[in-house]
């Protein structure tokens, strides 16, 4: 328990397996985290997290590399039935209505390392662990640690900033505390804020910053995440003599 964070710990046993979850609520955030530790010892079993939500939509949205795809939430055709799961990266979203001001609302299911999703009608599910015996009879057996989150939001995934929240889960803010050094002098930090790279419009994601393979320069990879045509300005706080697209 903390002024800015509350936790509830739940321990469950299932056959030969044990599941320990810490449900985390943070002040000022609509995100509910499920920090999970599992000792998985099952065969011929499939572990999923399921969330029935009060949403109705004919399609759901799934995160893929540098974009997203839409898939139906019903089994209207044999093609729909065959897509019993959708492979997605950091999030899946079910939204209804329009913008928030007209009553639009949605729920996203975020994760930090699980990629099998299925959303049917109003039930959102995330595949966590399997227990197959072929081709590896020991598949998934042992200890696992992962986190998934339920994130309700206004509007659709764009207006609800689902992409940003998924990045917050997968690449959390690192906080470092500075203490006086051994000689008694206080380590100093510059006043104010500093950003090495920033963009001026939402929906443009700075995905990668890396040293060039030949060691000469820095590569910055950006992508447009909303599926729209837009202009953006990249502000660079690094020392640079020139930039090349």
């Amino acid at each position: 328990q903390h002024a800015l964070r509350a936790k509830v710990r739940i321990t469950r046993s299932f056959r030969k397996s044990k599941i320990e979850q810490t449900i985390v609520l943070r002040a000022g955030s609509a995100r509910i985290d499920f920090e999970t530790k599992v000792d998985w010892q099952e065969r011929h079993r499939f572990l999923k997290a399921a969330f029935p939500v009060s949403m109705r939509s004919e399609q759901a949205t799934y995160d893929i590399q540098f974009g997203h795809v839409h898939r139906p939430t019903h089994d209207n055709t044999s093609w729909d039935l065959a897509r019993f799961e959708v492979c997605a990266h950091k999030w899946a979203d079910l939204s209804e209505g329009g913008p928030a001001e007209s009553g639009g609302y949605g729920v996203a299911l975020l994760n930090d390392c699980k990629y099998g999703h299925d959303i049917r009608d109003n039930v959102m599910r995330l595949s966590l662990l399997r227990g197959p015996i072929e081709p590896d009879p020991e598949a998934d057996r042992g200890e696992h640690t992962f986190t998934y989150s339920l994130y309700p939001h206004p509007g659709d995934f764009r207006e609800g900033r689902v992409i940003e929240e998924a990045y917050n889960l997968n690449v959390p803010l690192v906080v470092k505390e500075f203490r006086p050094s051994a000689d008694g002098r206080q380590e100093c930090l510059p006043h104010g804020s500093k950003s090495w790279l920033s963009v001026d419009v939402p929906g443009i994601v700075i995905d990668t910053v890396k040293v060039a393979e030949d060691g000469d320069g820095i590569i910055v990879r950006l992508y447009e995440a909303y599926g729209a045509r837009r202009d953006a300005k990249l502000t660079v706080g690094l020392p640079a003599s020139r930039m090349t697209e």
Side-chain angles (χ1 to χ4, degrees):
Q1 185 73 25
H2 188 275
L4 299 177
R5 182 176 57 197
K7 295 183 177 182
V8 177
R9 181 164 295 169
I10 300 172
T11 301
R12 298 183 176 94
S13 294
F14 174 75
R15 294 167 61 92
K16 298 179 181 180
S17 301
K18 183 178 179 180
I19 303 173
E20 181 180 295
Q21 285 193 307
T22 302
I23 303 174
V24 183
L25 300 173
R26 294 178 175 83
S29 174
R31 201 178 85 200
I32 306 170
D33 291 347
F34 295 81
E35 300 174 353
T36 308
K37 296 181 181 179
V38 183
D39 181 10
W40 183 247
Q41 301 296 333
E42 307 307 313
R43 302 295 87 187
H44 297 294
R45 293 290 185 274
F46 200 168
L47 181 65
K48 291 196 174 196
F51 294 93
V53 297
S54 58
M55 298 289 111
R56 289 289 181 181
S57 177
E58 292 185 354
Q59 66 178 14
T61 308
Y62 299 87
D63 174 48
I64 61 173
Q65 186 178 30
F66 305 142
H68 57 271
V69 294
H70 301 297
R71 292 289 182 266
T73 60
H74 52 76
D75 297 332
N76 191 44
T77 68
S78 59
W79 288 56
D80 297 335
L81 184 62
R83 287 193 288 242
F84 58 89
E85 267 199 343
V86 178
C87 180
H89 287 178
K90 295 183 288 294
W91 56 269
D93 184 79
L94 184 65
S95 299
E96 65 181 7
E101 59 265 22
S102 62
Y105 202 73
V107 177
L109 186 53
L110 319 176
N111 79 91
D112 66 353
C113 64
K114 300 296 178 181
Y115 309 114
H117 304 72
D118 69 271
I119 300 176
R120 286 293 179 268
D121 296 324
N122 68 319
V123 179
M124 308 178 71
R125 298 201 301 177
L126 178 67
S127 300
L128 303 178
L129 294 168
R130 299 168 62 236
I133 60 173
E134 293 288 345
D136 179 9
E138 298 298 313
D140 281 0
R141 179 172 287 177
E143 296 184 354
H144 300 262
T145 301
F146 49 85
T147 299
Y148 57 90
S149 306
L150 195 68
Y151 176 58
H153 59 81
D156 65 2
F157 77 92
R158 302 173 183 86
E159 189 174 0
R161 300 184 67 83
V162 170
I163 296 172
E164 292 84 348
E165 201 63 49
Y167 268 101
N168 290 340
L169 174 64
N170 281 265
V171 192
L173 180 68
V174 177
V175 178
K176 183 176 181 180
E177 182 180 3
F178 285 83
R179 298 180 180 276
S181 55
D183 58 9
R185 293 183 300 175
Q186 178 70 42
E187 296 185 43
C188 296
L189 288 174
H191 295 289
S193 61
K194 177 71 174 180
S195 177
W196 298 120
L197 296 161
S198 63
V199 290
D200 63 340
V201 295
I204 305 296
V205 178
I206 301 174
D207 181 79
T208 306
V209 181
K210 64 177 184 177
V211 177
E213 291 185 5
D214 60 6
D216 183 20
I218 300 294
I219 292 176
V220 180
R221 181 178 292 124
L222 308 92
Y223 71 96
E224 199 289 315
Y226 290 175
R229 189 185 305 274
R230 67 185 67 213
D231 295 323
K233 181 173 73 173
L234 173 66
T235 301
V236 180
L238 296 165
S241 58
R242 63 186 178 90
M243 296 181 65
T244 302
E245 183 179 359

